Amino acid sequence: MANEHIHHAGMDAGSIAALMTFAAAMLVYVFAVKRSNKKYSRWPVHRTFFWIAGMSCAAASVIGPIAEGAHSSFTYHMAAHLLLGMLAPLLLVISAPLTLLLRTVNVRVARRFTFILKSTPVRLLTDPITASLLNMGGLWILYTTDLYQVMHHNWLLLVLIHIHIFLAGYLFTVSIVTYDPVPQKPSIYYRSVVLVLALASHGILAKFLYGNPPAGVTAGDSETGALLMYYGGDAIDLVIIFLLCLEWYKNQVSHRFSRPGYARSI
């Protein structure tokens, strides 16, 4: 009983801290947009919308009814997973935060930041295979071991797992599609193959959970949560696939119009 009381007290304090963090992130982005607009062309309004929407999705996964329900319901937990580990990262990637950052800081800071982006550790973490292993590997470990049950009795472990789900989801998304400048972007074909394998792993895990509930989860709850994971994940993955295909199409058009002699041929 004492541990449960500490757990809920900690979550209350954690909810307040999380709410302040998300609100601060939104305000910082808006401030950066205003600063950028004074120096460069107007920052696209839709990117600001995607940033706020992404932060709102992340906040909804750890604060409010979904977060509360996730402590006792695997279905609610899976809804939080989709928001925190898939939808929020996708929306944030589309908002191009690194590009906005480089537009707002001075040249010296921008150069240092670019140097970090070019470093070997960052390039390794943002490689599609590494990002996929961190993302999907973490989910397989969470749901096929006792970790899922244990995290609900350890507030610190719960926080760390949520942070991992978000960061791993963001790294995976940015390794496949990104609107920010990257030192060396892998080919579309390489990213496509890794994406297909990652989607297959996600689908297989969902089917596995449908018939094999995690520790402490009832069969009915696991089935509903697995269905949500399968179809909800597919819906978000379709957007990623569309963005990747759109990038391929733009590259094809750009290559066609840049070919020598194209202007003479028309």
Side-chain angles (χ1 to χ4, degrees), residues 86 136 172 194-204 233-234 237 241:
M86 297 189 70
M136 293 310 308
F172 172 73
V194 176
L195 176 61
V196 170
L197 294 176
L199 299 188
S201 177
H202 194 266
I204 292 172
D234 279 354
D237 291 333
I241 293 173

Side-chain angles (χ1 to χ4, degrees), residues 131-145:
S132 297
L133 291 175
L134 290 173
N135 189 30
M136 293 310 308
L139 294 180
W140 276 93
I141 293 174
L142 175 63
Y143 297 130
T144 60
T145 67

Side-chain angles (χ1 to χ4, degrees), residues 183-195:
Q184 185 175 352
K185 182 184 294 186
S187 70
I188 289 181
Y189 301 104
Y190 173 60
R191 284 178 281 150
S192 299
V193 171
V194 176
L195 176 61

Side-chain angles (χ1 to χ4, degrees), residues 102 107-119 181 183:
L102 293 175
V107 176
R108 183 175 62 180
V109 175
R111 287 176 177 173
R112 290 180 178 177
F113 189 76
T114 303
F115 176 78
I116 294 175
L117 291 177
K118 293 180 180 179
S119 64

Side-chain angles (χ1 to χ4, degrees), residues 83-163:
L83 288 173
L84 184 64
M86 297 189 70
L87 184 56
L90 175 60
L91 294 172
L92 296 180
V93 166
I94 297 176
S95 69
L98 298 183
T99 301
L100 180 61
L101 174 65
L102 293 175
R103 284 167 57 121
T104 55
V105 298
N106 59 52
V107 176
R108 183 175 62 180
V109 175
R111 287 176 177 173
R112 290 180 178 177
F113 189 76
T114 303
F115 176 78
I116 294 175
L117 291 177
K118 293 180 180 179
S119 64
T120 300
V122 172
R123 292 174 63 179
L124 179 62
L125 285 174
T126 55
D127 181 85
I129 291 182
T130 306
S132 297
L133 291 175
L134 290 173
N135 189 30
M136 293 310 308
L139 294 180
W140 276 93
I141 293 174
L142 175 63
Y143 297 130
T144 60
T145 67
D146 293 333
L147 187 60
Y148 174 77
Q149 185 178 33
V150 172
M151 75 174 185
H152 291 295
H153 302 283
N154 188 312
W155 180 78
L156 179 58
L157 180 61
L158 182 68
V159 171
L160 292 176
I161 289 176
H162 277 74
I163 292 175

Side-chain angles (χ1 to χ4, degrees), residues 174-188 191 247:
V174 82
S175 72
I176 303 297
V177 291
T178 180
Y179 291 83
D180 284 315
V182 292
Q184 185 175 352
K185 182 184 294 186
S187 70
I188 289 181
R191 284 178 281 150
E247 179 185 342

